[in-house]
Amino acid sequence: MVMGDLVREVDVAVVGGGPGGYSAAFRCAELGLETVVVDASRRLGGACLWEGCIPSKALLHVSAVLGEVERAKEFGVDFGEPRIALDALRKWKAERVVGKLARGLAGVAKAKGVEIVGGRGVFEDSRALRVEGDEPQKIRFKHAVVATGSAPSPLPGAALASDRVMDSTGALELSDLPERLLVVGGGYIGLELGQVYTALGSKVTLVEMTDGLLPGVDRDLVQPLARHCEKLFVKIRLGTKVTSLHEQGSQIEARFGEGDTVAFDRVLVAVGRRPVSAELGLETTRVRPDAHGFVAVDERCRTADPRIWAVGDVTGEPMLAHRAMRQGKVAAEAIAGRPAAFDTVVVPAVVFTDPEVAWCGLTESQALREGRPVRIAKFQWAASGRAATLGRSDGLTKLIADADTGRVLGVGIVGPGAGELIAEGALAVEAALTAEDLAATIHTHPTLSETLMEAAETLLRPT
Ligand code: NAD
């Protein structure tokens, strides 16, 4: 077919089939709008399903199982040395986890009548998209949603094109298990995948540019994770940048700052992600990405171009799938003319390491920085019955509450299961609950959820 042969008219064209894009498309279709999704890979799921959240959590589950097996020795259960069949692990991840969910998404799209067009969408103006690639065509739309996501940032000043230098996508393929792995970046990805590779048998060195892991997160929440990583990893080098990478035969030599050079078998670069907004033809519309490539949107997710909406990583931080999904639904409702706004108070965040770290809303350090009068409650898991039964007393649950009203403004949790427990914190902040509300709610005994109630109770005691 010659490009341009086919011109189709739709109500909504969504560019990008990740969590933001498919959430927008599904809701548009439910609201009776004819909707197509344009995605270069001709499938839904985006980075989250194919090369991010889902495969990494599958591998982190394996890593958690291996951790539990090791811990079981403490209470007299010894399974012997684990044997890991990489082929079977890759197959399970690809077919039983990613493949299964992908088939589910494709089924939902079909059921809702959302068509997926394979190719790169490029705007020709504020009414039309050109699709380049497998299924070339022109799509005229009443509304478009930009949901193009983000891509891994290269290592500044030391980028090296080599199979041995991986980003998160490459690392999740598990093409082999390097004996010595260098992880650059002590954020979400560096810590999660650093732990996965350690569990599978690699010797991991982690380098972080700032003076602590997970910059921006309250230090008392990071400490139990940092302590565990110090045991797992060969070395953690804080306040250090990798200034050069050189391939020497089958190894990569990394130079740290102005100092020593160390050889590794592979390197994982996890120094952040950047929005994908270039080469989309946005200059033919009224959308103007900022200097970093982010597209500004209002509370309804509308860009500076009234026909064009944007959701997900391309609209800014935090680049998290659940924020994108909420934005997608808001944009769809707004396109359908319904009252909708991204007026969400909190976007909870979880680092799925061992132990997990999760937080939402105001952090203690932010309150301090902004001089906000708050009261902080901390409940150490050493006093939790459930934590004791799990052999995990190293956790902490903290609440950040308004000093006058007791309203819960933020919650932070570190410990196994923190990623699930934070949902109660998010609900508390979103629904403007007070510490008294949390304390007066019966929490099942013995569970880790009691730690939220216990933390709240400390705020009710006279100071
Ligand atoms: P990140 O922002 O979490 O961490 C990057 C880290 O690299 C920071 O600690 C930073 O100080 C450090 N860094 C930056 N430049 C450096 C350099 N030159 N040398 C050494 N260290 C350097 O980014 P990420 O880990 O790459 O993850 C990207 C994004 O993906 C996250 O911000 C998050 O939005 C998303 N993500 C989320 C999850 C989750 O929700 N569990 C998991 C993975 C990724």
Side-chain angles (χ1 to χ4, degrees):
M1 182 166 61
V2 178
M3 168 120 61
D5 273 3
L6 179 64
V7 180
R8 89 157 53 165
E9 305 257 348
V10 295
D11 293 319
V12 184
V14 179
V15 187
Y22 69 69
S23 300
F26 290 171
R27 190 70 190 125
C28 283
E30 285 166 10
L31 295 171
L33 300 165
E34 193 186 338
T35 307
V36 294
V37 176
V38 181
D39 191 288
S41 66
R42 201 174 189 274
R43 58 191 189 188
L44 297 184
C48 166
L49 176 58
W50 297 98
E51 56 204 40
C53 319
I54 299 297
S56 67
K57 263 78 263 179
L59 295 179
L60 277 157
H61 174 64
V62 174
S63 154
V65 168
L66 290 166
E68 286 303 304
V69 165
E70 185 57 33
R71 280 198 183 93
K73 290 178 185 160
E74 283 170 29
F75 45 81
V77 180
D78 191 341
F79 294 93
E81 274 310 295
R83 282 173 298 148
I84 299 158
L86 264 194
D87 278 341
L89 176 54
R90 280 190 213 108
K91 195 165 175 229
W92 169 74
K93 170 173 70 75
E95 291 173 14
R96 300 287 298 279
V97 183
V98 176
K100 180 173 179 285
L101 293 171
R103 286 190 294 280
L105 273 180
V108 174
K110 197 167 172 206
K112 292 188 190 294
V114 171
E115 195 188 330
I116 299 137
V117 175
R120 265 178 40 76
V122 180
F123 285 91
E124 292 199 321
D125 55 42
S126 301
R127 290 298 305 273
L129 268 174
R130 182 174 74 245
V131 180
E132 299 173 349
D134 291 351
E135 298 171 304
Q137 57 194 274
K138 194 164 165 173
I139 298 175
R140 281 184 65 75
F141 56 80
K142 293 189 186 128
H143 297 271
V145 180
V146 179
T148 43
S150 62
S153 302
L155 187 59
L160 172 69
S162 159
D163 285 350
R164 296 185 172 277
V165 179
M166 315 177 284
D167 57 23
S168 51
T169 310
L172 286 166
E173 282 166 14
L174 285 185
S175 44
D176 67 6
L177 277 185
E179 198 184 319
R180 299 160 304 172
L181 174 69
L182 171 65
V183 173
V184 189
Y188 286 77
I189 295 175
L191 291 166
E192 289 184 354
L193 292 185
Q195 287 202 347
V196 166
Y197 272 85
T198 306
L200 296 178
S202 296
K203 293 187 173 64
V204 170
T205 298
L206 186 141
V207 177
E208 163 58 41
M209 168 178 87
T210 67
D211 59 6
L213 302 177
L214 289 179
V217 183
D218 283 348
R219 291 301 91 189
D220 51 0
L221 296 175
V222 177
Q223 200 187 40
L225 170 62
R227 244 188 261 129
H228 190 50
C229 286
E230 274 157 25
K231 279 192 218 142
L232 294 178
F233 299 164
V234 176
K235 194 162 187 157
I236 298 176
R237 300 176 71 134
L238 299 175
T240 308
K241 270 191 184 175
V242 171
T243 43
S244 72
L245 293 175
H246 285 293
E247 193 152 18
Q248 279 294 340
S250 60
Q251 53 185 29
I252 302 285
E253 289 183 347
R255 182 152 192 241
F256 299 125
E258 297 309 310
D260 50 331
T261 299
V262 182
F264 296 91
D265 302 299
R266 279 182 181 270
V267 178
L268 162 61
V269 176
V271 295
R273 294 178 68 89
R274 55 184 182 185
V276 174
S277 58
E279 294 166 27
L280 280 180
L282 288 174
E283 63 287 354
T284 65
T285 72
R286 285 204 235 157
V287 182
R288 294 286 170 270
D290 71 12
H292 302 286
F294 288 114
V295 171
V297 289
D298 66 14
E299 73 287 353
R300 292 186 303 159
C301 299
R302 195 195 286 251
T303 68
D305 192 313
R307 289 183 181 278
I308 302 179
W309 309 71
V311 300
D313 289 6
V314 76
T315 65
E317 301 276 359
M319 296 196 219
L320 297 172
H322 42 279
R323 169 176 168 269
M325 292 191 232
R326 174 84 195 121
Q327 284 183 314
K329 289 173 197 159
V330 167
E333 299 270 336
I335 289 170
R338 292 183 163 210
F342 188 80
D343 53 2
T344 310
V345 183
V346 291
V347 180
V350 182
V351 186
F352 290 87
T353 40
D354 178 12
E356 291 180 353
V357 184
W359 64 97
C360 69
L362 188 69
T363 64
E364 184 177 358
S365 35
Q366 193 187 346
L368 204 68
R369 229 179 15 251
E370 294 171 6
R372 292 180 68 165
V374 292
R375 286 185 66 203
I376 310 283
K378 294 186 190 183
F379 184 79
Q380 302 286 349
W381 288 20
S384 155
R386 186 65 180 129
T389 65
L390 298 170
R392 297 301 304 261
S393 297
D394 53 342
L396 169 73
T397 297
K398 72 191 268 196
L399 301 181
I400 295 100
D402 183 86
D404 296 330
T405 61
R407 181 177 162 178
V408 181
L409 301 173
V411 178
I413 307 175
V414 55
E420 303 291 339
L421 293 170
I422 199 65
E424 178 174 337
L427 186 62
V429 181
E430 200 64 52
L433 299 186
T434 62
E436 199 172 351
D437 294 323
L438 287 191
T441 301
I442 297 180
H443 288 68
T444 327
H445 178 74
T447 62
L448 295 171
S449 71
E450 287 173 292
T451 64
L452 284 147
M453 177 185 72
E454 299 268 11
E457 278 175 6
T458 67
L459 286 179
L460 302 186
R461 290 178 202 135
T463 41

